[in-house]
Amino acid sequence: MPDVQPLVSDFVLKLKRRKVEGSHAVARQTAELLRSVVSQHRMGSSANQAAALADAVRAVGEQLIAANPIDNALSSHLLIMSILDKSTFGYLQGGNVSFMVINESTATTFLNIPSLMLMKQWRFGNYIGRGVMAKFFSSSTKVDMQDMNSRMLWPGVNPAELAVGNIVRRVLHIIKEEDISSTAVGIEGLSVTVDSDDEYDSEHDDGPALSAAVLAAHARNALRAPSLQTLLEDIPVSPAISRTASSTGDSDGKSKSAGDKSSTRKLKHDVITAIGDLIDEIDSCYEPISEQAVELIHQNEVILTLGRSRTVKEFLYAAKEKKRSFRVFVAEGAPRYQGHVLAKELVEKGVQTTVITDSAVFAMISRVNMVIVGAHAIMANGGVIALVGMNMVALAAQRHAVPFVVVAGSHKLCPLYPHNPEVLLNELKSPSDLLDFGEFSDCMNFSTQDGSPLLNVVNPTFDYVPPKLVSLFVTDTGGHSPSYMYRLIAEYYSADDLVVRRKSGS
Amino acid sequence: MDIRRPPPRSSSGGVEPRFRQVGFVTSAEPEAEPAPAASPPAPDGLSTGARSPVMIPPPLIPDHLHAPVPVPVPAPASESQSFMPSSPPPASSSRLEAASDLDDDDDVDVSWARPPPPALPEPYKRYLTEKKNEDAPASFSQKPKLSRAERRATQEAQRAAKAAAKEAGLKSTAMASDVNTKLSKQPKTAKTSLKKDMTQVNPPVASDKKTSVHPPDKDRKKDGPQPRMQFDNAHRVVKAKKRSIVNQSEAQNRVELFRHLPQYAHGTQLPDLESKFFQPDLMHPSVYKVGLQYLSGNISGGNARCIAMLLAFREAINDYSTPAEKILSRDLTAKISSFVSFLIECRPLSISMGNAIRFLKNRITKLPLTLSESEAKASLQSDVDRFINEKIIVADKVIVSHAVTKIRDDDVLLTYGSPSVIEMIFDHAHEIGKRFRVVVVDSRPNLEGQGLLRRLVAKGISCTYTHINAVSYIMHEATRVFLGASSVLSNGTVYSRAGTASVAMVAHAFGVPVLVCCEAYKFHERVQLDSICSNELGDPDAISRVPGGKSSSHLKNWADNENFHLLNLKYDITPSDYVSMLITDYGMLPPTSVPVIVREYRREHFIACTIDLLHWHGLLNHLGQSELPASKDCCFDTEQTPHMCADAKSKAFSALDMCSSPKGRGEPQHCCRLATPMGTLIPGSLQPDGPSTSPFSELSENVVRN
């Protein structure tokens, strides 16, 4: 699809450069992008429209998911500061400053730069701006950044915004559902012969029938998805094809012949509407969540939160608007200090707010009635990927038997089961958040005999909270316990989309 | 340290005064009494007894009953006289309250000024003499006769009279009495009271100018865990304010939960104080300097603060001369108290400092009267030196030597903040060629870890630096967690820099052993369950200052909104179950045996200053080669040992370490219980002649690794 490719690569670039951050924004933009992908997708006359569409989405999705921000790939492995000689080499990338310091020989192997003069002049203490580096790169030979990244990449690290993958999977699921429902409607239409061929676009009359069909497909899908038979059936061939084939059975040929073109148009239309609904859902996820605030927050409650989450903010606002008076302790969430922002916002609404350092969480939690935090992603096992430091808070809450409540929209539900999430689903940011390079320039020249740097700085972004530490999830569909998450996720995703990859064969 | 007690407590300690007296009196022949109840450390043992059940020696009462008997026997005439005031009339506790509160400003004023005092105003003089009379000869005869109610009544009367006298004659008093002090002080007090609503003052141990006539009495009170000044008690706060040197202005938007703690706006009073530096009569310059350093945060860290304080006191003692008509032991104690109160105003005392002060005062009270002033001073100075040397410097060395055995090659050692002992441990381990990596976990707002990081890297130790939030991330790598402590309380909780508890908790959750290193002089018999009741509040503005200035604008004018609070907690409490092992200069122990150390340490405080600590530590280190001094033998006594044994498996290794002390070897049945969780050791191997040491160290290594 050459026509969407610019859009896609633009978004990929944005993701890489971390121009888009936060799961809400990412989810929304991904959905929008996929909507345009779907709308610009030219429906061929092939037998499996849905499969083709799904493939198109999958192709884009793959690119998006692969668009891991460059800097984290670098920093995660390098832990940033390593210095061997005086010749140091700084490297700025994307919107986020990240430093890579490598020695002369490594630099040569990496970059094949004929002259290292520039690099020699550059000292660690001198914090160089992006402009300088850009100039440096342009003046030096053509550096294949992508190549460099792939070399530096830690294989297996996939710490991208999980929301991208979530949305791609959601869209795939939507396509599948719509396909099934349209086939079902097709059967219906064929048997009852109500709908004319051309009027498929008008949604009014068959709306209820459609929704019923969606429900039916939903149920069917939900029932089918985990079964061994479907798994065995689906995996060898393109899943969507076999699904439609198996679900429609013998009437398949008939329905296709009946209204091939119109059903194609309808499918596309339906998918686009459904994606539009998804976007709406992402946008409005705060409302159903914050509606539950009054039921969870009582008068004079003392609440602790860490960092800033828009969902938490809306949740607390909602409680405040319902005339609940409560106090909030906000742990600041170093090194990004988003807690300060949240505290300010809460104070503006008249909530009694106390900012504490992250280190004081354990001391204060004994006086706290409830911990309410946001999440970056909720994994299928009920674990939470959240702001760094959250595990500490959750452990402290467990120690003092304080309920640990996670509020998150359903777009943060991720159908993956985490493995070693602290490392694999994490993202290491620039050490400049923690250490001032200028101050520590004198410590940079040390190294051990084997060449590894003496000074490492670790600045992870996320923390993994295991499900046993979470008391409650509040999503836009209500409150759930961690053990229920897998079921909730099964409603949103189909099992065969867990790995978003183009089927090379089909 | 706050010497005033609320009335209920003083009244509850009905038996205390007499018991205490026993302690003081018998202390002349302390070594002779091995029984724990003999209590040369009476003030201490008693006060601990009041708090912690572990330390109540049951035979206290009988002891005190026959205690007066030995009184005259060991004490020579002069000495007994010196003890007289130190074992004041039973009314002491309430008297003290009165005395220290407001009234007897006459004394210290006079003593502090170098020139001999001019004539005292009438009421004060009378009070002074009256008190002296009452003190010296009457103390013994009077004591049994007065009931407590009577004492109380007289006390009240005195207090009322004094208050009246004070109100009437304060100004004239001030003018008439010591010109030197009063002149410099009077305007200041006026200023302070003007600013009263803004100013606040710390616990009035004894103000710079007012001290009691009963220093030993007061001193005794200090020995116990004091009820701290509660700053939500407006009455007390107002009183305290009147006597402040440091014009602390209260921070805005105080957190409701912490009303009972002082919270000041920082940085405002420093210029003012600096300008006063050259007023010679205000405070001894060295003490003043140290106070300012505390205030500005130039000296931080428990050991550094304690050493700085002791050195300042030492210097002050050096420059001290007893005013006429004064007794050195009493006057000096009073003066030390005034120093202490000044230091408290600068920054609340750490527990270790409290212990050091207690030690010093004890030495002062115990000075034989026969000593000349210069001899007494020399003796005190050497006491201070010895305290610094034995309790801090040598203790650190011993801790280092213990802790290094727990470091193996390829270990990843995680530490939090910048504890001085831990740094020494790392240095030493590096020096002896262990290969290990250090993870420095740091937290806002002080970021002390950066200093540690810099020093370690400069020494060539490979370091990883991160913030406390990332501790769960980095804990995967760690194999040991070494933490420092500001104090270890007798229920085994560790009172330490805010965040230590979180680190220990995460380590516990990840199954990484937590080793807390703490000198025994920092142990305290107080117990604490949470971090709220007793803590220190730092400068709230420090939170709003963000490195790099990224989001500082969010909190710019936080104080304008009354709903907005910033809370900068300095300490927190680590529950004892997160601590696998305490490394002290007495060896490695489980946190459950802290009370034993507290008790034994106190005893040593009073009896055994003469015992060479170094020697003993050497013994601990080279087990089986010689015997412990007898008085140390009970260090790990039998009541405590099974307790340790019953501890969780994870603590077995430290118990084993204990067990390798001679007492453990002498008690094979306990050792057997110790060994069973490991399933490998038999009691026979614990026998003195058995090849005990090497399997032990191996075993402990194994356990630690797990």
Side-chain angles (χ1 to χ4, degrees), chain A residues 332 334 337 340-341 344 347 353-355 358-359 362 367 389 391-392 396 399 422 434 439 442 454 456 458, chain B residues 444 450 454 462-466 469 472-473 476 499 501 505 530 546 554-555 561 563 565 567 575 577-578:
Chain A
E332 56 187 6
Y337 309 109
H340 293 176
V341 186
K344 198 182 175 200
V347 165
T353 311
T354 306
V355 180
D358 303 317
S359 51
F362 189 89
R367 296 296 178 273
N391 192 37
M392 192 175 76
R399 162 87 190 187
E422 288 95 339
L434 303 189
E439 280 177 29
D442 54 332
L454 266 190
N456 294 311
V458 180
Chain B
R444 288 235 307 143
Q450 293 191 352
R454 184 187 294 275
S462 174
C463 291
T464 303
Y465 176 84
T466 192
N469 272 344
S472 312
Y473 176 89
H476 290 283
M505 173 185 66
D530 57 29
V546 166
H554 295 297
L555 300 183
N561 193 323
N563 282 329
H565 309 284
L567 178 64
D577 49 345
Y578 290 154

Side-chain angles (χ1 to χ4, degrees), chain B residues 282-357:
Chain B
L282 196 58
M283 189 58 54
H284 190 276
S286 59
V287 177
Y288 201 79
K289 189 176 121 198
V290 168
L292 293 193
Q293 279 170 326
Y294 289 169
L295 195 63
S296 61
N298 284 350
I299 297 184
S300 61
N303 285 344
R305 278 170 73 197
C306 191
I307 290 176
M309 179 190 74
L310 285 172
L311 288 179
F313 285 173
R314 187 180 184 278
E315 209 167 307
I317 291 172
N318 192 28
D319 296 345
Y320 172 82
S321 62
T322 320
E325 299 173 16
K326 297 279 173 187
I327 301 168
L328 178 132
S329 65
R330 283 196 267 155
D331 184 55
L332 189 57
T333 316
K335 205 143 82 159
I336 296 284
S337 300
S338 75
F339 293 160
V340 169
S341 71
F342 168 74
L343 293 181
I344 291 176
E345 285 168 30
C346 295
R347 185 177 163 187
L349 290 188
S350 68
I351 291 175
S352 56
M353 290 160 74
N355 284 343
I357 292 165

Side-chain angles (χ1 to χ4, degrees), chain B residues 8-227:
Chain B
R9 184 150 156 67
S10 65
S11 63
S12 76
V15 78
E16 285 182 28
R18 276 174 293 172
F19 175 69
R20 278 178 175 164
Q21 183 205 356
V22 172
F24 272 88
V25 174
T26 49
S27 67
E29 37 143 38
E31 264 92 352
E33 307 205 46
S39 60
D44 240 40
L46 203 246
S47 44
T48 54
R51 283 272 168 129
S52 147
V54 184
M55 278 176 285
I56 298 183
L60 278 188
I61 310 292
D63 232 31
H64 97 78
L65 281 182
H66 65 70
V69 182
V71 170
V73 183
S78 60
E79 215 171 329
S80 72
Q81 215 172 12
S82 84
F83 279 126
M84 290 295 194
S86 79
S87 55
S92 59
S93 52
S94 45
R95 155 92 53 77
L96 170 69
E97 205 177 355
S100 67
D101 266 357
L102 275 179
D103 327 275
D104 24 23
D105 8 349
D106 40 8
D107 252 15
V108 184
D109 259 349
V110 176
S111 73
W112 185 219
R114 300 282 160 78
L120 282 171
E122 200 44 36
Y124 283 76
K125 203 171 194 175
R126 191 162 17 110
Y127 176 54
L128 182 63
T129 49
E130 174 190 295
K131 252 197 239 171
K132 273 191 176 160
N133 288 340
E134 173 187 301
D135 274 350
S139 72
F140 262 149
S141 58
Q142 202 179 9
K143 178 181 52 179
K145 288 175 195 165
L146 278 176
S147 78
R148 259 197 19 228
E150 284 171 315
R151 276 181 257 132
R152 186 101 198 148
T154 45
Q155 198 53 51
E156 294 297 331
Q158 281 177 356
R159 197 186 306 182
K162 273 182 285 177
K166 182 173 168 124
E167 264 185 30
L170 179 61
K171 289 226 166 99
S172 59
T173 309
M175 308 255 252
S177 72
D178 185 8
V179 183
N180 243 348
T181 25
K182 287 291 179 181
L183 277 189
S184 68
K185 218 144 272 183
Q186 194 54 40
K188 214 186 74 62
T189 17
K191 189 172 77 182
T192 323
S193 48
L194 270 185
K195 281 191 184 176
K196 195 181 289 178
D197 51 341
M198 287 297 290
T199 58
Q200 203 190 24
V201 167
N202 277 297
V205 169
S207 78
D208 48 316
K209 41 188 238 162
K210 303 160 213 216
T211 335
S212 79
V213 202
H214 307 284
D217 187 11
K218 178 179 295 182
D219 179 45
R220 252 185 6 191
K221 285 212 151 186
K222 266 195 188 107
D223 293 335
Q226 306 281 330

Side-chain angles (χ1 to χ4, degrees), chain B residues 235-276:
Chain B
H235 180 58
R236 284 278 169 96
V237 170
V238 167
K239 267 195 202 168
K241 264 181 208 165
K242 287 185 188 158
R243 280 171 287 167
S244 70
I245 290 183
V246 187
N247 287 329
Q248 299 271 34
S249 55
E250 210 170 290
Q252 286 172 289
N253 292 5
R254 300 177 58 191
V255 181
E256 195 59 42
L257 213 48
F258 290 94
R259 289 274 173 201
H260 61 287
L261 296 177
Q263 181 160 29
Y264 302 129
H266 284 242
T268 51
Q269 58 298 75
L270 205 53
D272 182 40
L273 282 175
E274 271 166 357
S275 65
K276 284 187 205 154

Side-chain angles (χ1 to χ4, degrees), chain B residues 352-368:
Chain B
S352 56
M353 290 160 74
N355 284 343
I357 292 165
R358 197 193 289 183
F359 164 83
L360 181 60
K361 288 194 170 175
N362 238 294
R363 300 310 299 169
I364 295 174
T365 19
K366 296 249 157 55
L367 282 175

Side-chain angles (χ1 to χ4, degrees), chain B residues 558-573:
Chain B
W558 64 277
D560 297 344
N561 193 323
E562 58 173 10
N563 282 329
F564 215 151
H565 309 284
L566 300 189
L567 178 64
N568 183 3
L569 272 189
K570 290 251 180 174
Y571 295 101
D572 68 7
I573 288 291

